[in-house]
């Protein structure tokens, strides 16, 4: 069928494969709603792109599924379905297709959609977080029938708690690394994200220069603040494993379309994003600085390339 024709893109296939462990883990700790959101967002994203392309007789790019997967994994598990759908439509239509489609968008589409609903539905996006079905501190002791009921439960009632980014002192480092903590769907398990990110680096889908300099910049500026005042600023080690920093580092900073092309530009790009993430997290009202830092980096990426053009 014409409707089901998809333009295969090997790098996008690799990214989708790398996201599978994160999706499986997220489903394990947050329930079947993760898969429901993922499927519905992917279908809507596909339809949005198809409507823009069918008169041109062009295939929908495989990248549309990368966008819907990444977008879904940045959402809180308690998000109402209608808000999720508003975000994915905005991501594909405004974040990508109005610029001309794949390869022409200025901003990362997944983060564009998330930023839109984050600003417009701030309370629903940030005020309610669920405790994972499996709790590391309880030594995985959970009744099987109770586990199955929680796994398939679609509504999250009054099970709420703060995220590590809001109250890092409430969580030990092991919980932050393994991911049995409240948070966005795909951003909790640092160890799984790191393994998947290394896979992308090995496959050369992600650029090591962008990753390394973003991480280095983040560590330097966060450490400086922490040494100035340990009571007011987050420990840099906890800061790395909290929030969406690692997920953004490996899957968003390295987006080949919205990031610079030249090697020197990628270095400066990473430094700017790392610095801005710390700045926004510590001094602005928006606690998740990584998202806004990357979008700002997207905005200046073409200018960074121009700076390093040989006269």
């Amino acid at each position: 069928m014409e409707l089901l024709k998809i333009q295969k893109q090997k790098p996008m296939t690799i990214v989708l494969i790398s996201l599978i462990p994160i999706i499986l883990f997220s489903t394990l700790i947050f329930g079947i709603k993760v898969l429901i959101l993922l499927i519905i967002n992917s279908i809507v994203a596909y339809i949005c792109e198809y409507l823009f392309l069918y008169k041109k007789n062009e295939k929908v790019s495989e990248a549309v599924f990368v966008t819907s997967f990444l977008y879904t994994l940045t959402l809180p598990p308690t998000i109402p379905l209608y808000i999720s759908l508003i975000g994915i439509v905005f991501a594909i239509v405004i974040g990508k297709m109005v610029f001309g489609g794949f390869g022409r968008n200025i901003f990362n589409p997944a983060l564009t959609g998330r930023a839109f609903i984050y600003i417009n539905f701030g309370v629903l996006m940030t005020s309610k977080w669920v405790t994972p079905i499996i709790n590391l501190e309880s030594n995985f002791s959970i009744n099987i029938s109770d586990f199955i009921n929680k796994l398939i439960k679609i509504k999250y009632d009054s099970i709420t708690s703060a995220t590590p980014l809001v109250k890092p002192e409430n969580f030990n480092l092991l919980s932050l690394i393994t991911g049995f903590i409240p948070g966005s769907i795909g951003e909790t398990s640092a160890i799984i994200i790191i393994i998947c990110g290394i896979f992308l680096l090995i496959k050369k889908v992600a650029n090591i220069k962008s990753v390394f300099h973003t991480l280095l910049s983040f560590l330097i500026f966060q450490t400086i603040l922490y040494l100035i005042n340990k009571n007011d600023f987050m420990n840099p080690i906890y800061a790395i494993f909290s929030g969406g920093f690692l997920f953004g580092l490996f899957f968003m900073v390295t987006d080949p379309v919205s990031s610079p092309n030249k090697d020197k530009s990628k270095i400066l790009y990473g430094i700017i994003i790392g610095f801005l993430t710390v700045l926004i997290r510590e001094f602005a009202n928006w606690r998740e600085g990584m998202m806004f830092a990357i979008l700002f980096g997207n905005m200046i990426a073409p200018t960074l390339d121009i700076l390093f053009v040989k006269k």
Side-chain angles (χ1 to χ4, degrees), residues 45-110:
Y46 181 92
I47 292 172
C48 288
E49 185 162 326
Y50 175 81
L51 293 176
F52 271 83
L53 297 176
Y54 83 99
K55 284 189 176 181
K56 299 179 182 180
N57 198 27
E58 296 178 9
K59 296 179 181 179
V60 173
S61 66
E62 193 174 3
V64 76
F65 297 112
V66 172
T67 296
S68 62
F69 277 37
L70 292 177
Y71 165 79
T72 302
L73 292 173
T74 65
L75 301 176
T78 55
I79 189 169
L81 181 58
Y82 76 94
I83 294 179
S84 175
L85 294 179
I86 290 173
I88 193 61
V89 171
F90 191 89
I92 301 301
V93 176
I94 305 299
K96 181 180 180 181
M97 299 312 296
V98 296
F99 290 101
F102 177 76
R104 299 180 180 89
N105 50 285
I106 298 173
F107 301 100
N108 181 291

Side-chain angles (χ1 to χ4, degrees), residues 170-182:
N170 291 353
F171 303 90
N172 59 52
L173 191 58
L174 180 60
S175 295
L176 292 175
I177 293 173
T178 54
F180 295 95
I181 53 175

Side-chain angles (χ1 to χ4, degrees), residues 92-135:
I92 301 301
V93 176
I94 305 299
K96 181 180 180 181
M97 299 312 296
V98 296
F99 290 101
F102 177 76
R104 299 180 180 89
N105 50 285
I106 298 173
F107 301 100
N108 181 291
L111 286 183
T112 302
R114 188 185 193 277
F116 180 74
I117 59 174
Y118 187 84
I119 293 171
N120 287 283
F121 304 97
V123 174
L124 291 173
M125 287 285 290
T126 60
S127 65
K128 191 173 184 180
W129 301 93
V130 299
T131 302
I133 295 172
I134 298 177
N135 191 332

Side-chain angles (χ1 to χ4, degrees), residues 5 18 32 47 62-63 89 114 138 153 159 220 231 251 284:
K5 286 187 177 180
S18 72
I32 204 71
I47 292 172
E62 193 174 3
V89 171
R114 188 185 193 277
S138 65
K153 193 173 184 180
I159 309 173
I220 290 173
N231 294 323
F251 291 98

Side-chain angles (χ1 to χ4, degrees), residues 201-241:
L201 293 174
I202 292 173
K203 290 292 186 178
K204 297 183 179 181
V205 173
N207 185 275
I208 186 63
K209 290 183 174 63
S210 299
V211 172
F212 175 76
H213 288 91
T214 301
L215 178 61
L216 181 64
S217 172
F218 179 88
L219 268 176
I220 290 173
F221 290 113
Q222 189 68 50
T223 302
I224 291 173
L225 292 178
Y226 182 68
L227 293 176
I228 292 173
N229 191 331
K230 294 182 180 181
N231 294 323
D232 290 341
F233 301 111
M234 193 182 296
N235 181 305
I237 302 302
Y238 275 78
I240 287 176
F241 296 122

